[in-house]
Amino acid sequence: MTSSSPRADAASPGGHSCTQREEWLRLAVIQPSPFCNINCDYCYLPGRSETHRMSPETLRSVVSEIFRTDLVRDFITFVWHAGEPLAVPISWYEDALTLIRAEAPPELAILHSFQSNGMLINEAWCEFIKSHHISIGLSIDGPAAIHDVHRKTRQGKGTHEQAMRGARLLRQHGIDFHVIAVVSGESLDHADDIFDFFVGEGIHHFGFNVEEQEGIHTTSSLDGVPADRVAAFFRRIFERQKATGGKVRIREFDNALARIVADTDTVNDFIYENEQVRPFGILSVDWQGNFSTFSPEMLGVETADYGTFAFGSLRTGGLDQALQSGTFLRVLQDTTAGVERCRAECGFFKLCGGGAPANKFFENGSFNSTETAYCRHVIQLPLSIVLDDLEADLLSKS
Ligand code: SF4
């Protein structure tokens, strides 16, 4: 999960408890356009130079199909994921939000969410975000010397200054936001610099994605980096967070603690409900109406083995097309087998639920596999750090 991955939004402020177990669709990741206004070198998204936009007819088909099914219960989050979501005009979203409210059951709670590079934020976007109570996160990797290494314009210039201008504008408008920072090779020796930068900017809620091999990004600056360097980075971030006495929230450690507490509360009768391994836990739809499920990063990727992971088109039919898709049935079978292997082989299974199918496929070449760099960094490491800390606290009190 690198850069603007939609999974980032699933755990954003205003998101829902990681301990809920209901089997329904709670996250729809919709791509109004594949276009991005910048060109980060670790981005996994294909087609980000293309300026196509979802038509009103396609959007109407997508929205009515989502509400036609019995998959939606009490609430749903729409993550507007492009490219860069703010590269699509405000008027497009005004129409989209009006349509969704008109089509949705009246009692349904709806949250809209953007994960943005921040470059296009202006007064009009602030007004729109505020008036519609939209959750927003910015992708900022830390201070300019780290951020600008990878997050560049198409002309190769750094984007930090403009992204921070966007962040400050949000703050001036009283809009609460979180930040997602990608940890790359350049970040590892700078945990304190990154932490101090965010806190110095008044940013008290952030999370980290680790640069991964995913989609068209087939190598990572962390390839071959010893695991203890990544561990040292996260341990230092945790120490700094702890020293703030709860003033700073960090997604990875908050999620780890929530799962550990849920496991304790249920007297160890807990298995984390992992939306990515459950068909239609997450629905991903591209600008043409093609849909996929499991990890959102799978949509738009073409592979030699499976072809594409689009399981049908909501422009021409319903979600039940997946049941006629040989690819869907193979992915389901292989993903389920991978989860069962995780259950049998991994001590973290109950707090993880079987990881991210996309990472298993892109890193290991198969959904029917277990450990990945992603799960070591983002699941196992934060859980280990928080568990070690809880144990040390207990020992010091005994
Ligand atoms: S931590 Fe990794 S190996 Fe363990 S259950 Fe999760 S995905 Fe599987």
Side-chain angles (χ1 to χ4, degrees):
M1 173 174 57
T2 302
S3 186
S4 58
S5 165
R7 275 183 272 156
D9 302 83
S12 64
H16 299 274
S17 163
C18 68
T19 62
Q20 290 166 324
R21 290 184 175 221
E22 299 89 346
E23 299 219 333
W24 37 280
L25 170 61
R26 65 184 70 155
L27 184 65
V29 181
I30 313 284
Q31 181 191 54
S33 166
F35 180 71
C36 186
N37 56 323
I38 64 171
N39 195 27
C40 304
D41 63 12
Y42 49 43
C43 183
Y44 67 91
L45 291 166
R48 59 186 190 272
S49 301
E50 295 167 15
T51 55
H52 312 290
R53 195 172 298 157
M54 185 181 273
S55 69
E57 297 73 31
T58 300
L59 180 65
R60 183 172 290 281
S61 301
V62 171
V63 169
S64 41
E65 177 61 10
I66 287 173
F67 295 126
R68 188 190 66 77
T69 69
D70 59 3
L71 288 172
V72 179
R73 303 281 166 83
D74 301 337
F75 71 84
I76 185 167
T77 299
F78 284 86
V79 173
W80 299 99
H81 181 63
E84 163 55 37
L86 305 196
V88 172
I90 291 173
S91 57
W92 191 95
Y93 290 107
E94 273 169 345
D95 292 346
L97 268 55
T98 303
L99 173 69
I100 288 170
R101 195 61 272 176
E103 295 275 337
E107 68 284 1
L108 183 73
I110 300 172
L111 177 72
H112 295 281
S113 175
F114 291 138
Q115 184 70 29
S116 167
N117 60 40
M119 307 269 295
L120 300 172
I121 291 172
N122 57 19
E123 296 286 333
W125 273 113
C126 288
E127 293 300 333
F128 179 74
I129 289 164
K130 205 168 173 176
S131 63
H132 291 277
H133 308 287
I134 294 173
S135 163
I136 182 162
L138 301 186
S139 300
I140 298 171
D141 290 353
I146 295 169
H147 176 103
D148 284 342
V149 174
H150 296 288
R151 301 190 65 82
K152 293 179 189 292
T153 65
R154 286 202 168 70
Q155 291 74 41
K157 293 194 180 128
T159 58
H160 191 262
E161 193 180 328
Q162 222 174 319
M164 288 311 301
R165 193 196 48 75
R168 289 169 194 139
L169 207 49
L170 287 176
R171 212 169 47 227
Q172 281 164 26
H173 281 259
I175 297 169
D176 195 22
F177 63 95
H178 64 279
V179 160
I180 305 287
V182 174
V183 178
S184 62
E186 288 71 24
S187 318
L188 291 180
D189 295 331
H190 298 284
D192 285 304
D193 296 336
I194 293 169
F195 192 94
D196 288 337
F197 174 77
F198 286 142
V199 172
E201 286 288 341
I203 296 166
H204 292 115
H205 193 180
F206 43 96
F208 294 97
N209 291 344
V210 177
E211 187 186 347
E212 298 161 19
Q213 299 169 32
E214 199 162 59
I216 60 169
H217 184 55
T218 54
T219 59
S220 160
S221 61
L222 295 177
D223 292 346
V225 169
D228 58 356
R229 278 191 70 205
V230 181
F233 174 87
F234 279 103
R235 286 191 188 281
R236 182 61 184 156
I237 293 284
F238 182 75
E239 277 172 19
R240 294 295 310 273
Q241 179 198 21
K242 199 172 174 198
T244 68
K247 205 169 149 205
V248 170
R249 305 263 319 280
I250 297 182
R251 181 187 57 179
E252 285 63 42
F253 302 125
D254 286 359
N255 285 350
L257 183 62
R259 294 179 198 188
I260 293 164
V261 168
D263 190 35
T264 309
D265 285 352
T266 54
V267 201
N268 293 333
D269 182 25
F270 171 80
I271 293 181
Y272 174 63
E273 194 224 323
N274 179 349
E275 293 162 343
Q276 289 193 61
V277 301
R278 180 165 60 78
F280 300 106
I282 300 172
L283 175 69
S284 312
V285 186
D286 74 12
W287 69 275
Q288 297 176 91
N290 300 312
F291 74 89
S292 191
T293 182
F294 307 107
S295 305
E297 296 83 354
M298 288 159 57
L299 186 60
V301 174
E302 182 127 23
T303 69
D305 191 13
Y306 290 89
T308 76
F309 294 116
F311 302 135
S313 167
L314 298 184
R315 207 158 30 89
T316 56
L319 291 172
D320 51 5
Q321 291 166 94
L323 300 174
Q324 271 79 55
S325 160
T327 308
F328 170 78
L329 297 173
R330 268 185 74 203
V331 173
L332 175 59
Q333 191 176 36
D334 293 350
T335 298
T336 305
V339 171
E340 288 313 309
R341 286 184 57 189
C342 280
R343 190 194 303 272
E345 296 170 22
C346 178
F348 290 94
F349 177 77
K350 61 165 30 191
L351 301 180
C352 165
N359 294 85
K360 290 184 175 184
F361 180 78
F362 293 127
E363 286 189 43
N364 301 336
S366 172
F367 295 109
N368 183 359
S369 65
T370 57
E371 194 174 271
T372 60
Y374 164 78
C375 80
R376 281 196 299 278
H377 295 144
V378 175
I379 311 274
Q380 298 180 5
L381 184 54
L383 283 168
S384 299
I385 290 171
V386 174
L387 281 166
D388 287 351
D389 182 64
L390 290 169
E391 276 171 20
D393 272 358
L394 279 175
L395 274 177
S396 70
K397 286 174 190 147
S398 64

